[in-house]
Amino acid sequence: MVRHVHVVDRQRSRSGEDTVTETTTAETSHEVERVIIRFAGDSGDGMQLTGDRFTNASALAGNDLSTLPDFPAEIRAPAGTLAGVSAFQVQISDHDITTPGDAPEVLVAMNPAALKSELHRLVAGGTLIINTDTFDERNLDKAGYDHDPLASDDLDGYQVIRVPMTNLTKEACKDLGVKPRDADRSKNFFALGLVSWMYSRPVEPTLEWIDTKFAGKDLVIGANRAAFNAGHAFGETAELGDQRVVVRPAPLQPGTYTNITGNIALAWGLVAASRLSGCPLFLGAYPITPASDILHELSRHKRFGVITFQAEDEIAAIGSALGAAYGGRLGVTATSGPGVALKSETLGLAVSLEIPMILVDIQRGGPSTGLPTKTEASDLMLAMHGRHGEAPLPIVSANTPADCFYMAIEAARIALTHRTPVILLSDGYLANSSEPWRIPDLASLAPISVEFATGPNQTNEDGDGVFWPYLRDDLLARQWAVPGTPGLMHRIGGIEKEDGTGNISYDPENHRHMVDLRKARVQRVEVPDAEVTGVEDPDLLMVGWGSTWGAITGAVGRACRAGHRVGHVHLRHLNPLPANLDDLLGRSEKVLVPEMNLGQLSQILRAEYLVDARTVSKVTGQPFTAAELDGIIREALDV
C-alpha cells in the first residue's frame, strides 16, 4: 500500500520557535512529553489508515514521531479471529525519538480479537478504548474467549473507556442516506476523531484528506466526516477531560518536512541518484511483500525520466535491470529474500560483466514464504555469499526510514563509480514505518560523476583502434561502453574472460587472477570510518546494522544516563567494512551484536577480527525495543 505523503512547512518566529495553531487550553488539558498509541482491529477495520491519518496530523502539529505498522500474516484471515488482527503503533513526542516506543500507553481495540491479541502489550494502568458494540457472543467465540472480558475483572488495573462506536457511527450517518452496513465501515474514523480530540490533533488535515481521497463519492465523504466529527464530539461530551493531553511540537531545524516511510524514501533516493548522475533510472521488479511500494512509487515519476517494468517473474525482473544497465541506465531491481534467491544467477552474471546495477532487498521473515508481513534481517549471509562461485559485491544497509533515501544514493554512487552490482538492504520494519524527514535541496547533494567510453582505448597489431572492455582505472573499474557506440565493439559475458581484452579464457592462472581481481575491486570501495556514539572507550560496545539502530540508540542512551560506559557502532557499509572497525572493536572488553537473525553479523566479525562478538538475537517478526536491549546491557554489565 502506498501512503500519501503530506509536506509540512515549518515556519520559525523571530525567537526561533515554531509557530503552531493552539487547539486546546490549559483548563481542559495537561501536557505530556510523549505518548505511545496502538490501534488494533480486524484487517477490514482500517487500522492502518487510522494510524496513518493520526500520524500525519501529528506531523502537521510539529511532533517528532515513529511508527510501527503491524500487518496480519494472512491476506484474508477470517474476520474477528486472532489471525486477522491488524495493528498500528505510533509514538509522538516533543523531543527527538528513535523508536515507536517500548509499549503502548493507549490501546484502541475495535473487537474482542484485537483486545485479546494486543492487551499484553499495554502498560500497567494504561488506557483502553474499546468498541463495546463488537463484544457479542459470536465475536467473543471467534476470538477464543469463554467469557466476556468487559463483564469480568480481566481489565482491572487499566483505565477503560467503553464506547459503542458502531452504533454511534450509524446514528451519525442515518440522516445522510448511508446504509447501516456502509456506515459500519466508517467506525474507524469515529475512533480517529475520539483519539484526535484526546491528543489535541488538528482536525482540518483529516477532513481535507477525506474530501480528496474520496472525491466523487459524496456518501462516503459524508459518512467518514460524520463519523470523525461524532468521535470528536464524543470526547468533548463524555466527561473525558482528564484524558485530554497536549504534546508540544518538537524542536526541528527550519525547512520543509514530510512524514515518510522507508520504501518511499528509498524510491525517492533512487530518483535523486538518477538526477545526480545523469543516468536515467530503470526499475525492473516483480511484486513481492514488503518491496512492492518501491515499484508503485517509482511508477509515478515518469516526468523524471523513470521507466518501471513489472516483469512476469523475479528472474525476468533482474534480467531487464541488467539489460538496462548494459545500455547505460541506472538499472535497479527491488525484491525481498525469496526474490534474491531467484535472482542469484543473474546477479553473478552482473559481477562477471562488471555492470553497475542495484539490487534492493527489503528483508522479511523466512525461509521460503516465511512471514511475508513481518520483519526480519536474516539475508546478510545471502547477500554476502548467495551466488555461484566467488562473486563478491558491495553491500550497504539503511538504518532508519529517512536513511533509506541517502543509502539509495550511496548504493548508486558505489555502483556507478566502481562498475559493480550493489546490494542495498532494508527490511519490513523500515519499509512500512515512518518518521519526519527534512527534505534536502538537491543542490546540497554531491553529484555522481559518470563517464562513458567514447572511443577505442587500445591499438591492435595493424595499428587500428580497438576497445578492450576490461582495461581498468585506479579503482580497478573498467570503462562503461554503451552498445552501438561506433568503434566500441567488445565482448563481455558469463564465461570467464581474459583481463583486458575480454576474450574467452580457460587459462587457470587467468581465472585465479580474475577471482582475486573481483575481490580487490570490492575492497577498493571508499567506505567512511565507523563512528562511536555514547562512550568512545566503553566497557561494553554495541554493534548493529540495519533497523536495530533506533532501539540500540535508545538503550545505549539510557545506559549512559545511568552512568554506565557503553558505546554504539552502527554499520551502514557491510562489505567492505570500515577500515577502523578493527581498532574500535579492540577498545572494549565486551561486544554485543543485536540482530534480527541468529547471529550473522556476529559470525562475520568473529571471523574477520577474531573478536568475541556475542549475539543478541530476535526472530519473532517484531523489531527490538529499547527496553529489551536496556535489560540485556545491564545483564552483560552485571548491574
Side-chain angles (χ1 to χ4, degrees), residues 1-7 258-272 281-283 285 287 290-310 334 405 431 437 439:
M1 178 179 68
V2 176
R3 303 190 185 283
H4 293 274
V5 178
H6 291 260
V7 174
T258 181
N259 177 41
I260 199 165
T261 66
N263 272 354
I264 303 302
L266 198 153
W268 290 5
L270 292 173
V271 175
L281 175 63
F282 176 92
L283 175 76
S292 299
D293 279 354
I294 297 171
L295 172 60
H296 298 160
E297 180 64 21
L298 286 179
S299 68
R300 300 178 174 184
H301 297 297
K302 298 180 180 65
R303 67 187 182 280
F304 294 119
V306 177
I307 295 177
T308 54
F309 169 57
Q310 181 174 320
F405 175 86
W437 173 57
I439 300 175

Side-chain angles (χ1 to χ4, degrees), residues 423-444:
I423 292 180
L424 168 56
L425 296 175
S426 178
D427 60 48
Y429 173 34
L430 294 182
N432 295 309
S433 61
S434 63
E435 65 178 345
W437 173 57
R438 183 170 177 259
I439 300 175
D441 182 358
L442 189 63
S444 69

